[in-house]
Amino acid sequence: MNILFKIIRYQIHDISRSKWLLFYTLFFFLITYGLISFSNDQSKVILSLLNVALIIIPLVSIIFGTVYLYNNKDYIVLILSQPIKRKILYLGLYLGLVIPLAFSFVIGTLIPLIILGKNIPVQIMLILFLFAAGLFQTSIFVSISFLIATWNENKILGLGLSIFTWLLFSVLYDGLLLLMINIFQNYPLEKALIGFSVFNPVDLARILVILKLDVAALMGYTGAVFQKFFNTNFGIVVSFLFLIGWTVIPLMIGKRKFSKKDF
Amino acid sequence: MLNQNGIKHYLKWSFCFLSEGLTKRRTVLLFIIGFLISCGVNFSKPLLVGSNHNFKTIQSALSSAKDGDTIFVYSGVYVENTILVNKAVKIIGINRPILSGDNKHEIMKIKSDNVLVRGFLFRDTGLNFIYDNAAIKLDSVKYCTIEENKFINNFFGIYLSRASNCIVINNELEAFQTKETYSGNGIHLWQCREMTIKNNKIKGHRDGIYFEFVKRSEIEGNSSQSNLRYGLHFMFSDSCRYYNNYFTKNGAGVAVMFTKNVDMSNNIFEYNWGGAAYGLLLKDISDSKILRNQFIKNTCAIYFEGCNRVTTLENNFLENGTAIRLMANSMDNLFTKNNFIGNSFDVNTNSTKSYNTFESNYWSEYKGYDLNKDGIGDIPFRPVKLFSFIIEQNRPALILMRSLFVDILNVAENIFPSLTPKTLMDSKPKMTKYL
């Protein structure tokens, strides 16, 4: 444990000096600041922020994570010559990246919200949800990126796979769902769709959000089925379990690969 | 209690005397005598009902009353059989006496013209599906007034059939049923003419206000909320107006059907939630006006089915699920100078053609520019998104709402429209919202 913390501390220290992290923080700061200053309706601001969180965070996390692991190969090899368990090193590297990324998202968004935000207590649930979604997207996509980078030695292939994975979860998966909905439109698909949506972390977070915001548009049978699942304690617990699963499972597989890898 | 005709008559006479050159004192004397005579018709003593008064029940007072009498009812609880009013009397409650139907029968039945009922609390009619128990039922009457009464826990509240020129004003109605089938309407009008329904508050009935086969009537300043079905249910009622009303949290909003020449203005439609809830449902409406209304947070603000030549002018649509759902069988409708702000979908339609006109509206979704600074966007706005078109045919696709994929599809469709109606667009979108 002591070693784990040491590695995390070193990593955070290292990454904090990176310009990219500063840009990342600044990006969220400017987006939030701009949205709040130009819009009167704060719930719409949070909605836009959630959209940003669901597109930008996965993209940045997955690319940053892949590049980070490739760039640190020399360092990893060096550390591995020390009496340190590979498992601990992998976790240290992972947390050492996730914590600063998550931190810069939270700081970048929270500061403008506190300075300029109106009636925050009313929307506290939405804001908490925004942060939960952002944190989960960070942890999930860094964990996937580590898996990809450990699996492939070829940097170009690894980076390509990362971008493809992001594209798959953000765009292609929804396209396939729409295709499926269209082909099977004569069948009651609602329950099947709930099943499919939990297998995409981006969709899962998005659906939890639209059920909070666009309830009016979602009324009707479809909305009722989704509400019945996602707005009950059971549904929320299941959704969060899946989000945790999306973090833990790639991390575990990656760790196993990492432990057996011949550097 | 002055008899107006009497006074007119008397004034005419006294002027006659004046012109004949009578002395001033005599004229004054004549004036006084004449005044007494002209009022005398109504000087019969009012009938008093109460535990300390001549009459113990309203029915007994009624049986000894004559047309034009006034009956004062003092506070207390009156449980009588259905009170039958068949004389033109004024029945006035003092300190809000309670008339109870004892959960069995109707409370008051009015069968005479020129009746006034004021200041009572009507309660507990009980359910009866054969007689449609109502707190007050008016049948085939004219010039009646029901004012400042309260109605609690009744099946039907005020039930008017074949009435004309009646006024229902400043009443409060509340019912507590939870099932539509066991609940009656608040103010129910059937086959009426020239009625005025004004400043009433209705809560928890089946339909707040119900209009069927009513002509040339006005509904003004009422508040109808939390009713099980419709806030206002309006059918076959040509040439009626409803304005300054407030409809909120009704099971299915407001329905206006099978009618010509309806004027709907300055109403507020708010928080009508649910799978089958509409701010305003229009079915087979023609030549009507929807003017300066507020539609706030409804599942669907206005639903147009089979509507022709309806003008929708200067309304606000704020944060509704769908602002306007326009079915293919609606034609020649005009939508102009409205504000569409923060709706999940601005316009949905089920057709690739549209014969309706959208012009000079403000759309918060509009992303165009205005180079010549005349306040009108230079490129037209297409309110029907590809995605709204998809969900109109395929509801489960709603699960993809706000997905990046859907945004990309919408942008592509917006640039090269192929599925959404090409003609359904606002060619002069306003850059700033109307105040």
Side-chain angles (χ1 to χ4, degrees):
Chain A
M1 275 299 136
N2 208 6
I3 296 166
L4 178 64
F5 283 124
K6 258 185 196 160
I7 294 170
I8 293 173
R9 213 173 59 204
Y10 171 76
Q11 289 302 323
I12 292 175
H13 192 77
D14 183 39
I15 291 171
S16 304
R17 283 182 302 177
S18 142
K19 280 194 200 87
W20 289 108
L21 200 73
L22 191 70
F23 278 131
Y24 190 57
T25 318
L26 211 62
F27 169 79
F28 279 112
F29 183 84
L30 289 177
I31 285 268
T32 318
Y33 193 88
L35 281 172
I36 295 179
S37 351
F38 289 119
S39 167
N40 315 322
D41 184 0
Q42 197 171 309
S43 65
K44 292 279 161 187
V45 170
I46 293 169
L47 182 70
S48 308
L49 278 176
L50 270 159
N51 265 340
V52 171
L54 293 184
I55 295 165
I56 299 297
I57 292 182
L59 182 63
V60 171
S61 302
I62 204 164
I63 290 179
F64 205 100
T66 322
V67 172
Y68 174 79
L69 214 61
Y70 284 138
N71 282 355
N72 278 311
K73 198 182 169 189
D74 295 340
Y75 166 74
I76 293 166
V77 172
L78 177 72
I79 295 287
L80 284 179
S81 63
Q82 309 295 320
I84 290 175
K85 280 189 182 159
R86 287 190 168 200
K87 191 170 74 178
I88 301 257
L89 177 63
Y90 191 76
L91 276 181
L93 288 167
Y94 174 74
L95 289 175
L97 181 58
V98 166
I99 291 170
L101 277 180
F103 196 67
S104 63
F105 159 68
V106 172
I107 291 292
T109 320
L110 198 61
I111 290 175
L113 263 180
I114 289 173
I115 298 173
L116 295 171
K118 283 155 267 176
N119 56 21
I120 285 181
V122 181
Q123 288 166 331
I124 195 76
M125 273 311 288
L126 259 182
I127 292 172
L128 283 180
F129 206 87
L130 166 71
F131 287 122
L135 297 182
F136 267 116
Q137 298 307 320
T138 310
S139 63
I140 289 169
F141 280 89
V142 171
S143 128
I144 294 173
S145 73
F146 270 38
L147 174 63
I148 290 170
T150 319
W151 210 311
N152 299 289
E153 270 304 290
N154 188 340
K155 282 187 188 182
I156 307 293
L157 183 68
L159 210 57
L161 265 179
S162 294
I163 292 172
F164 178 75
T165 312
W166 173 78
L167 206 63
L168 176 74
F169 285 136
S170 301
V171 183
L172 295 180
Y173 195 88
D174 290 349
L176 293 174
L177 272 190
L178 187 61
L179 195 68
M180 191 191 79
I181 293 169
N182 235 358
I183 291 170
F184 297 102
Q185 62 174 302
N186 295 330
Y187 297 86
L189 274 180
E190 281 82 3
K191 283 183 182 154
L193 282 176
I194 290 176
F196 280 110
S197 63
V198 296
F199 290 108
N200 179 347
V202 181
D203 270 0
L204 191 55
R206 185 175 52 75
I207 289 164
L208 286 171
V209 172
I210 57 171
L211 283 178
K212 294 260 176 306
L213 285 168
D214 291 292
V215 189
L218 275 166
M219 281 296 172
Y221 180 71
T222 309
V225 175
F226 295 154
Q227 292 267 7
K228 207 175 152 196
F229 180 75
F230 287 110
N231 259 8
T232 56
N233 288 335
F234 172 74
I236 288 173
V237 168
V238 169
S239 314
F240 274 90
L241 281 181
F242 265 90
L243 286 174
I244 292 167
W246 269 107
T247 312
V248 172
I249 293 169
L251 192 67
M252 288 299 143
I253 301 173
K255 196 181 76 186
R256 184 177 270 182
K257 285 270 168 213
F258 189 79
S259 307
K260 288 179 185 160
K261 190 168 173 173
D262 183 17
F263 281 95
Chain B
M1 280 140 273
L2 295 176
N3 184 320
Q4 279 194 347
N5 283 332
I7 291 174
K8 262 187 212 160
H9 198 64
Y10 156 68
L11 281 174
K12 217 161 84 186
W13 270 101
S14 54
F15 278 111
C16 277
F17 282 127
L18 268 176
S19 61
E20 277 169 24
L22 288 162
T23 63
K24 206 176 177 185
R25 186 179 285 177
R26 272 194 181 172
T27 316
V28 172
L29 199 69
L30 271 171
F31 200 105
I32 294 166
I33 293 168
F35 189 84
L36 289 178
I37 292 168
S38 66
C39 301
V41 185
N42 282 346
F43 264 12
S44 68
K45 254 184 149 180
L47 295 94
L48 306 181
V49 182
S51 51
N52 309 324
H53 298 279
N54 291 354
F55 298 101
K56 303 296 175 215
T57 64
I58 299 167
Q59 192 66 65
S60 62
L62 272 167
S63 54
S64 40
K66 294 188 293 292
D67 278 357
D69 276 355
T70 304
I71 299 172
F72 287 105
V73 181
Y74 286 87
S75 58
V77 181
Y78 297 84
V79 187
E80 306 180 22
N81 284 329
T82 305
I83 300 165
L84 184 67
V85 184
N86 48 12
K87 291 165 186 163
V89 292
K90 296 184 174 66
I91 308 175
I92 294 169
I94 293 171
N95 293 332
R96 207 171 288 290
I98 298 168
L99 306 187
S100 169
D102 207 16
N103 281 321
K104 285 178 200 137
H105 50 78
E106 294 197 322
I107 301 170
M108 191 178 274
K109 208 164 193 171
I110 297 176
K111 294 215 153 191
S112 162
D113 300 346
N114 296 306
V115 173
L116 178 142
V117 179
R118 179 199 293 156
F120 288 94
L121 171 63
F122 291 85
R123 60 185 309 160
D124 307 327
T125 56
L127 267 66
N128 190 315
F129 296 104
I130 298 169
Y131 298 108
D132 280 350
N133 275 357
I136 301 185
K137 190 174 270 178
L138 298 98
D139 192 5
S140 316
V141 296
K142 288 178 194 144
Y143 304 104
C144 289
T145 305
I146 310 294
E147 68 178 339
E148 287 163 27
N149 300 292
K150 285 190 177 174
F151 298 80
I152 291 177
N153 192 29
N154 298 301
F155 187 45
F156 281 78
I158 304 168
Y159 189 115
L160 298 116
S161 60
R162 296 193 192 84
S164 60
N165 304 82
C166 294
I167 298 173
V168 178
I169 184 169
N170 293 337
N171 298 289
E172 287 179 28
L173 300 96
E174 192 169 358
F176 308 100
Q177 285 293 344
T178 48
K179 269 192 179 162
E180 247 178 48
T181 40
Y182 290 100
S183 174
N185 303 326
I187 300 174
H188 179 104
L189 284 85
W190 183 75
Q191 290 248 355
C192 295
R193 302 282 177 273
E194 278 111 23
M195 309 289 280
T196 306
I197 311 294
K198 194 171 169 183
N199 297 350
N200 301 289
K201 292 194 174 81
I202 308 138
K203 205 173 171 182
H205 276 277
R206 181 174 62 194
D207 295 338
I209 302 172
Y210 180 97
F211 265 51
E212 194 173 359
F213 308 112
V214 178
K215 304 277 180 278
R216 300 179 298 279
S217 296
E218 305 216 339
I219 304 173
E220 186 198 344
N222 301 287
S223 140
S224 182
Q225 61 170 303
S226 310
N227 294 297
L228 301 176
R229 195 168 63 182
Y230 298 116
L232 168 67
H233 193 175
F234 191 99
M235 294 178 296
F236 309 105
S237 296
D238 295 346
S239 312
C240 288
R241 275 184 78 192
Y242 65 94
Y243 51 103
N244 296 340
N245 299 291
Y246 179 57
F247 302 105
T248 184
K249 293 177 191 149
N250 295 300
V254 168
V256 181
M257 306 188 270
F258 315 109
T259 302
K260 285 184 289 205
N261 296 322
V262 199
D263 184 345
M264 307 166 240
S265 40
N266 293 313
N267 302 291
I268 300 175
F269 301 86
E270 236 180 19
Y271 303 114
N272 296 297
W273 292 94
Y278 299 89
L280 177 57
L281 181 146
L282 301 175
K283 176 156 176 51
D284 290 317
I285 300 296
S286 46
D287 305 295
S288 296
K289 263 188 224 141
I290 303 169
L291 191 66
R292 293 192 202 101
N293 300 287
Q294 309 279 337
F295 296 89
I296 302 164
K297 294 198 172 173
N298 303 291
T299 300
C300 175
I302 312 186
Y303 175 82
F304 285 82
E305 189 178 319
C307 297
N308 300 312
R309 301 175 299 280
V310 174
T311 306
T312 308
L313 180 68
E314 296 176 4
N315 301 285
N316 277 327
F317 297 89
L318 306 176
E319 297 177 31
N320 300 289
T322 307
I324 290 177
R325 224 170 134 200
L326 188 59
M327 293 294 112
N329 52 7
S330 298
M331 273 174 74
D332 301 323
N333 298 296
L334 173 66
F335 300 86
T336 184
K337 295 186 180 168
N338 302 292
N339 285 323
F340 292 87
I341 299 169
N343 303 299
S344 297
F345 300 103
D346 284 329
V347 179
N348 281 10
T349 182
N350 59 350
S351 154
T352 50
K353 300 252 186 317
S354 169
Y355 303 100
N356 301 287
T357 311
F358 286 81
E359 203 173 76
S360 307
N361 299 290
Y362 169 75
W363 311 87
S364 65
E365 292 275 303
Y366 182 60
K367 294 190 175 73
Y369 45 82
D370 177 23
L371 288 182
N372 54 1
K373 299 283 174 207
D374 59 354
I376 296 164
D378 295 348
I379 49 172
F381 177 69
R382 298 178 187 281
V384 184
K385 301 267 181 297
L386 176 62
F387 185 55
S388 52
F389 195 73
I390 291 171
I391 58 153
E392 195 61 45
Q393 291 164 356
N394 207 345
R395 298 303 282 185
L398 264 173
I399 201 168
L400 297 175
M401 201 167 156
R402 297 197 187 280
S403 144
L404 182 61
F405 175 71
V406 164
D407 290 344
I408 294 168
L409 274 188
N410 281 340
V411 170
E413 173 72 16
N414 203 9
I415 298 168
F416 307 107
S418 59
L419 291 170
T420 53
K422 285 190 191 64
T423 48
L424 203 163
M425 63 180 185
D426 190 335
S427 49
K428 295 176 189 165
K430 195 88 158 40
M431 293 303 288
T432 48
K433 68 177 171 195
Y434 293 96
L435 296 173

